[in-house]
Amino acid sequence: MSAKGDMLAGRWYNANFDDELIRERMNAKDLCLEFNNTRMKDVDKRLDILRELLPNVEAGHVEILAPFLVDYGYNVFIGSGSFLNHNVYLMDGAKITFGRKCFVGPNCGFYTAIHPMEVEKRNAGYEMAKPIKIGDNVWIGADVSVLPGVTIGKNCVIGAQSLVTKDIPEGVLAYGSPCKVVKKI
């Protein structure tokens, strides 16, 4: 199987030395650069770039502010009514799914990659990607990092500067490093 096939199947793959994945990342980075350097008032051009970069965005109003960065784009799924503020990074080696009406604060990162503990394998370029899923109506504050394999349930609020290392159940306020449930909403 190809490195891309292994990546999409959640197996160890070579991310750093595979020509197909390198080309796809370069294409996505070029589209991000174009989007990030397009004037806000050029709404149609910005939407065209995002449609090419993120083919799995649900129809309906989704707003993404620049700067914005992804690795591939095709692994990002965003529900209608969602908003991603400035400087959001989506490391989408695996699916990153945002439900409907999600609000993501500035400077947030969603990281799907895991690297081997063994230095030889890590230096050889291997990684594995685990999906991230964010439910409907979730508000993620500024400067939040969400790690591989995490699910955040619907109707949650994640406080600013949180490090989300484990699943968060639906309908709660959670924050901290590591992020923990504080109370039911």
Side-chain angles (χ1 to χ4, degrees):
M1 185 171 280
S2 69
K4 181 177 179 178
D6 286 336
M7 177 183 80
L8 296 174
R11 293 187 291 265
W12 291 105
Y13 65 98
N14 185 313
N16 297 318
F17 305 108
D18 182 78
D19 291 337
E20 179 183 20
L21 293 178
I22 290 168
R23 273 193 309 278
E24 288 183 349
R25 282 195 306 272
M26 283 193 299
N27 182 60
K29 304 292 187 207
D30 285 347
L31 288 168
C32 288
L33 180 65
E34 187 177 354
F35 174 78
N36 292 335
N37 288 304
T38 301
R39 293 178 178 272
M40 288 297 293
K41 66 182 178 182
D42 293 336
V43 175
D44 290 339
K45 182 177 180 184
R46 290 170 62 79
L47 287 174
D48 287 344
I49 296 166
L50 284 177
R51 282 188 198 107
E52 184 177 351
L53 178 63
L54 305 171
N56 296 309
V57 171
E58 186 176 28
H61 183 74
V62 171
E63 187 172 358
I64 299 173
L65 300 181
F68 172 70
L69 195 58
V70 297
D71 282 351
Y72 300 100
Y74 54 75
N75 278 330
V76 175
F77 296 76
I78 303 175
S80 66
S82 292
F83 172 79
L84 280 66
N85 211 319
H86 298 284
N87 207 34
V88 169
Y89 172 46
L90 306 176
M91 181 188 283
D92 64 321
K95 274 187 183 180
I96 298 176
T97 304
F98 294 91
R100 294 181 174 155
K101 297 183 180 174
C102 288
F103 296 97
V104 178
N107 304 313
C108 289
F110 298 80
Y111 307 99
T112 64
I114 298 170
H115 300 282
M117 292 294 186
E118 302 86 2
V119 71
E120 295 82 16
K121 290 180 183 176
R122 190 170 56 247
N123 287 345
Y126 285 93
E127 67 181 47
M128 180 186 295
K130 292 189 176 186
I132 293 171
K133 185 173 182 181
I134 312 298
D136 293 340
N137 305 305
V138 171
W139 172 25
I140 297 175
D143 300 303
V144 170
S145 293
V146 179
L147 297 189
V150 166
T151 295
I152 298 174
K154 65 182 180 179
N155 305 318
C156 283
V157 176
I158 305 297
Q161 296 189 339
S162 292
L163 175 62
V164 188
T165 62
K166 296 186 176 167
D167 291 353
I168 303 295
E170 66 180 57
V172 298
L173 167 65
Y175 56 79
S177 183
C179 188
K180 295 186 191 283
V181 173
V182 176
K183 69 177 184 177
K184 197 125 174 85
I185 298 176

